[in-house]
Amino acid sequence: MKRCRIEIEGIVQGVGFRPFVYQLARRHHLAGWVLNDSRGVTIEAQGDTAAMEDFLHALRAQAPPLAVITRFETRPCPLATEDSFVIHASNETAERRIQIAPDTYVCGDCLAELFDPADRRYRYPFINCTNCGPRYTIVTGVPYDRPLTTMADFPLCADCRREYENPASRRFHAQPNACPACGPRLSLHDGAGRRLEVPDALGQAIALLRQGRILAVKGLGGYHLVVDAANDQAVAELRRRKTRDEKPFALMSRDLEAVRRYAWVNEAEEQLLLGVERPIVLLPRRADHGLSPRVAPGNGFFGVMLPYTPLHHLLLEDQFTALVMTSANLSDEPILFEDGEALTRLSGIADAYLSHNRRIHTRTDDSIARILAGRVVLMRRSRGYVPRGILLPQAQPTVLALGAEMKNTICFTQENRAFLSQHIGDLKNLEVLRGLEHSVDHLGRILGLNPRIVAHDQHPDYLSTRFAEELPEVRRIGVQHHHAHLVSCLADNGRDEPAIGVVFDGLGFGADGHIWGGEFLLGDADGFERAAHLAYLPMPGGDAATREPWRMALSALAHAFGESLPELALFSTHAPGDLRLVRQMIARGINCPLTSSCGRLFDAVAALIGVRQRVSYEGQAALELEQIAAEGEQGRYAYELYDRQGPFVVDPAPLIRSLVEDLGQGVAPGVLSARFHNTLAAMIQEVCGRLREGSGLNLVALSGGVFQNRYLTEKTLPLLERDGFTVLTHSLVPPNDGGLALGQAVIAGRLAARQQQS
């Protein structure tokens, strides 16, 4: 006989792990017990040696589908007198390492019950089990038990209680377990927020959607604004009411067959759509898509997701090819998730509200992903992925990193794991700042962490920096923006060694006080050297230049031609006084911060060739420039690379002059775009080659929001690989600022560890 104590950490609570252990132990005729604690799951089991070995192997090999084991330790212990195997009540210990499962889509077993007229949960919108349903958004504390979730509001009925207490049931200790007799219920409200007494709230909501009305629908992590995507008038009205001119709306369809009616789906994209995370996936749209052209104006892609809650399945059942399913929020604010606030703040936007009485504790947007160079790349890491841990290359002190101003997320580290928060938003107003504060408090409590080391961006005016300054009794470490990007990419790939970091983005506070964004760095988590960068260009009007790309076009022209600017069509679309004023600002250096940003160079080229003079959302000009690029075009432009006793400088002046010459000869915009992209790819190849000569580094990390660009990334990768480079790109965390907190956390942790050792 043999007895072992087994301690397991990871995502092992709320995923059916204890009943799995219970049934496995009984199958192997073992005695002992299993319980949840604040670190994960602890087991003591005893039986004959062969049975114990089989049991230990099966614990790893046959774990439930949503379980993720990150630590598995066994040690022998004295035999006991037990003759059965039992499940003990949860036990909270002082050390907390529990990992909560992300919210997951409704599983096949529950879906079958949902549409089975003989099942007691037939058409119940909140059906779930241990293999699916809400998790992170309803958790209020740990251990993960029902009293520490928002399901504490719903006492179990006798039938649900029997399932909940039966280790043989698929719903054993499924904390959100409920049925129509005891669980959450739907409600329908009119545009003024008054509850409507209707016998079938869901049926009435579907009828309103078919009439072209705008609904606010409460989901897992917040409210969505929903309309029929094929109803052009309804989509246009949603844009008008939400004052969202052109930013694409997300879509939801009931299955792949419906998606294929309006978008092209390859095998990798199909797997991503069907994955347990159910992100929004960017798919090329069909020319004959049949949906409103206002869903994604000027965009060759649709952002598409499949249903991930029972309510979504019921809404889409044999009704619509696709529904617009966009986050319910006002401009620059986070998604609305509290019922009272939604009913108030969406007044004048929603015609009706389809809500329910299960509280959301933590707001969580939908995740966004695409396939780039054959690899899944997250562009927004949120529902379905958070708070899943990321394995770090090595253990480090506990750190809280506060992320960036744009696309803010936060990150905690615990030994060799990093835990990124859900997407919080752009820190432009009080509501988003409150979201940051809630995430720091909530994720910290769940993980049981109260770090004394806090990392933040070096920009002194970022709200995240100011938040760090107000935290008491902590050590604050400022991290350079693009250094954090480089290390984020290394950590995303489990790498720790020095690399050439190609970091192209829109804006980042540079070490010299200028705005960086077209950077070649040499370094790792221990430090970096700025080895090359794009030439500085003035940004006329500062932030105004990011909203009006024509200003950057004038800046690029002045850089390339001096005072004698060529006559271009873009000049005819602007008032002469505005053009004269901006030219004077550039010439005199008035309100013209200098930037090396590749994102601003994209803006300049987009404006020059007539793609976009003003933008209504971040990155619009670059996105539209990418999407018109002519496939198969091999041409490219010249650029100048020089060394002035410091970093190499890549000067785009020859590129701008050649592009203007092509414009004058009537070359098509798509060809101009392709040549511009090809030039950037060739420039990256040449600069990396020169930097390898001096540094000996053969590893290249591509990071920053520009590398969400499919055309550029897929042009650059083969050029570098052909030269023998090993190239890293992002996957688990976004290349944009949504992944910045991971790099900040690793850099700050490494610095603290070095200082502890010295």
Side-chain angles (χ1 to χ4, degrees):
M1 295 288 290
K2 176 181 179 181
R3 186 179 181 91
C4 283
R5 184 180 180 91
I6 306 141
E7 295 178 353
I8 303 175
E9 295 178 10
I11 300 177
V12 289
Q13 291 189 16
V15 294
F17 205 89
R18 285 180 300 170
F20 156 70
V21 172
Y22 172 83
Q23 292 166 23
L24 192 64
R26 288 174 61 88
R27 195 181 314 144
H28 288 86
H29 307 291
L30 304 179
W33 49 263
V34 58
L35 59 77
N36 281 348
D37 59 31
S38 296
R39 293 175 298 173
V41 167
T42 299
I43 305 164
E44 283 199 11
Q46 71 180 37
D48 69 64
T49 301
M52 283 293 297
E53 292 301 322
D54 290 345
F55 173 71
L56 292 172
H57 174 76
L59 281 175
R60 288 177 176 271
Q62 301 171 21
L66 299 182
V68 178
I69 295 174
T70 59
R71 175 176 167 264
F72 188 101
E73 290 189 4
T74 67
R75 64 175 183 268
C77 54
L79 293 174
T81 57
E82 299 151 310
D83 58 4
S84 64
F85 196 93
V86 297
I87 298 174
H88 285 327
S90 296
N91 175 39
E92 183 162 4
T93 57
E95 185 181 14
R96 190 176 295 171
R97 293 182 187 171
I98 186 59
Q99 297 179 41
I100 302 296
D103 300 270
T104 55
Y105 80 114
V106 57
C107 71
D109 289 332
C110 285
L111 204 57
E113 293 173 350
L114 181 68
F115 292 108
D116 180 2
D119 194 276
R120 72 187 186 93
R121 293 184 175 89
Y122 176 56
R123 302 186 68 80
Y124 181 55
F126 307 98
I127 190 171
N128 67 86
C129 68
T130 53
N131 297 325
C132 67
R135 297 291 193 276
Y136 182 62
T137 53
I138 65 170
V139 171
T140 61
V142 292
Y144 176 63
D145 280 329
R146 193 178 181 98
L148 294 176
T149 73
T150 60
M151 288 300 295
D153 299 344
F154 304 96
L156 292 166
C157 67
D159 289 335
C160 288
R161 172 64 63 183
R162 278 192 291 271
E163 294 170 329
Y164 185 83
E165 294 176 350
N166 179 7
S169 170
R170 198 175 83 249
R171 294 188 169 90
F172 176 76
H173 280 252
Q175 309 306 343
N177 187 31
C179 74
C182 64
R185 296 186 180 184
L186 290 177
S187 59
L188 189 68
H189 305 253
D190 66 15
R194 293 183 294 262
R195 181 165 181 154
L196 301 175
E197 299 301 328
V198 293
D200 181 7
L202 176 65
Q204 185 63 36
I206 291 171
L208 290 170
L209 287 172
R210 296 187 70 84
Q211 293 166 21
R213 303 295 182 86
I214 300 170
L215 254 66
V217 177
K218 187 177 180 181
L220 278 181
Y223 279 81
H224 288 102
L225 289 169
V226 183
V227 295
D228 180 357
N231 188 324
D232 186 57
Q233 185 176 349
V235 177
E237 183 63 13
L238 176 58
R239 286 204 176 276
R240 186 191 70 80
R241 294 186 191 178
K242 201 180 178 189
T243 61
R244 183 165 167 172
D245 294 336
E246 296 170 299
K247 190 174 183 180
F249 287 139
L251 299 173
M252 180 180 283
S253 291
R254 63 180 175 271
D255 52 29
L256 281 172
E257 181 183 354
V259 172
R260 289 194 174 98
R261 296 179 194 171
Y262 58 84
W264 301 102
V265 188
N266 65 29
E267 184 177 350
E269 290 159 346
E270 178 179 324
Q271 292 177 357
L272 187 54
L273 282 166
L274 292 170
V276 297
E277 298 88 359
R278 289 293 197 271
I280 298 169
V281 181
L282 300 188
L283 302 173
R285 69 184 191 184
R286 297 174 61 105
D288 57 343
H289 56 76
L291 303 181
S292 166
R294 292 180 172 88
V295 168
N299 198 308
F301 287 75
F302 287 131
V304 182
M305 56 183 159
L306 295 180
Y308 55 86
T309 72
L311 178 58
H312 293 148
H313 281 279
L314 294 168
L315 271 176
L316 285 158
E317 180 193 18
D318 300 326
Q319 298 291 337
F320 308 95
T321 299
L323 290 174
V324 165
M325 193 76 65
T326 186
S327 297
N329 56 3
L330 304 179
S331 179
D332 295 328
E333 292 190 359
I335 185 172
L336 294 165
F337 73 110
E338 293 178 326
D339 298 329
E341 189 176 31
L343 293 173
T344 301
R345 297 183 68 78
L346 295 177
S347 177
I349 299 178
D351 293 314
Y353 301 80
L354 183 61
S355 188
H356 57 76
N357 57 341
R358 184 179 66 206
R359 288 181 293 120
I360 298 170
H361 185 69
T362 301
R363 73 174 110 217
T364 308
D365 283 276
D366 298 310
S367 296
I368 304 175
R370 74 182 304 183
I371 302 296
L372 263 179
R375 191 181 192 197
V376 174
V377 177
L378 286 174
M379 300 169 69
R380 183 166 77 194
R381 188 177 191 271
S382 207
R383 177 194 49 78
Y385 295 91
V386 173
R388 193 182 298 164
I390 297 168
L391 183 64
L392 297 177
Q394 60 180 267
Q396 65 170 57
T398 299
V399 174
L400 164 63
L402 295 173
E405 186 87 344
M406 304 292 286
K407 299 178 175 64
N408 180 264
T409 61
I410 64 163
C411 181
F412 284 91
T413 63
Q414 184 180 43
E415 296 180 351
N416 65 340
R417 292 274 160 182
F419 299 91
L420 274 169
S421 74
Q422 74 281 11
H423 168 79
I424 296 169
D426 297 345
L427 294 175
K428 295 179 179 179
N429 58 54
L430 187 59
E431 284 303 312
V432 186
L433 183 60
R434 286 173 179 163
L436 169 68
E437 293 169 347
H438 172 85
S439 295
V440 169
D441 176 68
H442 179 61
L443 192 54
R445 279 192 295 109
I446 284 178
L447 297 170
L449 300 177
N450 185 25
R452 299 292 89 194
I453 302 168
V454 175
H456 59 86
D457 195 277
Q458 286 182 340
H459 197 300
D461 295 330
Y462 279 1
L463 287 180
S464 53
T465 303
R466 294 179 182 178
F467 180 81
E469 291 171 348
E470 294 173 1
L471 293 174
E473 299 178 358
V474 299
R475 180 188 173 195
R476 288 172 284 275
I477 298 176
V479 179
Q480 200 281 323
H481 188 94
H482 300 91
H483 185 205
H485 269 302
L486 163 60
V487 176
S488 173
C489 187
L490 291 173
D492 192 359
N493 288 273
R495 305 294 285 263
D496 199 31
E497 65 268 43
I500 300 170
V502 185
V503 186
F504 286 1
D505 63 359
L507 299 171
F509 188 72
D512 59 359
H514 296 315
I515 299 170
W516 291 6
E519 310 306 311
F520 293 83
L521 309 180
L522 302 178
D524 55 16
D526 288 319
F528 77 98
E529 171 194 350
R530 191 189 195 197
H533 61 87
L534 293 178
Y536 285 121
L537 296 178
M539 281 180 62
D543 286 345
T546 67
R547 299 187 296 271
E548 300 180 348
W550 66 269
R551 292 172 178 256
M552 288 308 304
L554 274 179
S555 179
L557 289 171
H559 177 75
F561 291 95
E563 294 184 4
S564 302
L565 301 192
E567 291 295 327
L568 295 176
L570 92 92
F571 296 142
S572 64
T573 62
H574 301 283
D578 291 343
L579 293 169
R580 186 166 53 251
L581 176 62
V582 170
R583 290 186 64 177
Q584 289 174 351
M585 292 170 64
I586 295 169
R588 299 174 184 175
I590 299 172
N591 192 18
C592 283
L594 296 178
T595 182
S596 60
S597 167
C598 188
R600 300 292 77 80
L601 183 60
F602 266 89
D603 288 350
V605 172
L608 282 171
I609 67 178
V611 171
R612 177 62 56 177
Q613 304 299 316
R614 292 179 173 83
V615 299
S616 61
Y617 60 91
E618 185 204 3
Q620 183 179 13
L623 174 67
E624 294 180 0
L625 184 64
E626 172 201 352
Q627 294 188 2
I628 67 165
E631 297 286 347
E633 170 62 36
Q634 299 300 315
R636 66 191 193 201
Y637 299 122
Y639 54 86
E640 187 178 356
L641 181 60
Y642 55 84
D643 178 7
R644 292 181 176 172
Q645 296 181 338
F648 287 110
V649 176
V650 184
D651 192 341
L655 182 161
I656 298 299
R657 289 193 288 267
S658 298
L659 187 143
V660 168
E661 183 179 348
D662 276 357
L663 268 174
Q665 295 177 358
V667 176
V671 174
L672 298 175
S673 172
R675 290 176 181 175
F676 169 68
H677 283 85
N678 295 344
T679 304
L680 287 181
M683 177 263 289
I684 292 169
Q685 178 190 24
E686 181 181 356
V687 174
C688 287
R690 291 207 184 190
L691 296 180
R692 177 169 58 184
E693 291 174 7
S695 68
L697 296 177
N698 204 52
L699 184 66
V700 175
L702 305 180
S703 190
V706 169
F707 288 107
Q708 295 174 152
N709 182 309
R710 180 194 60 81
Y711 188 103
L712 177 62
T713 303
E714 294 182 355
K715 280 286 182 180
T716 302
L717 274 169
L719 292 178
L720 291 172
E721 290 171 346
R722 198 178 305 150
D723 279 357
F725 285 103
T726 299
V727 187
L728 306 179
T729 59
H730 282 269
S731 182
L732 294 175
V733 300
N736 59 45
D737 284 1
L740 203 73
L742 174 63
Q744 291 175 342
V746 174
I747 291 167
R750 185 65 56 82
L751 175 62
R754 287 201 312 271
Q755 292 176 343
Q756 286 175 3
Q757 293 168 1
S758 61

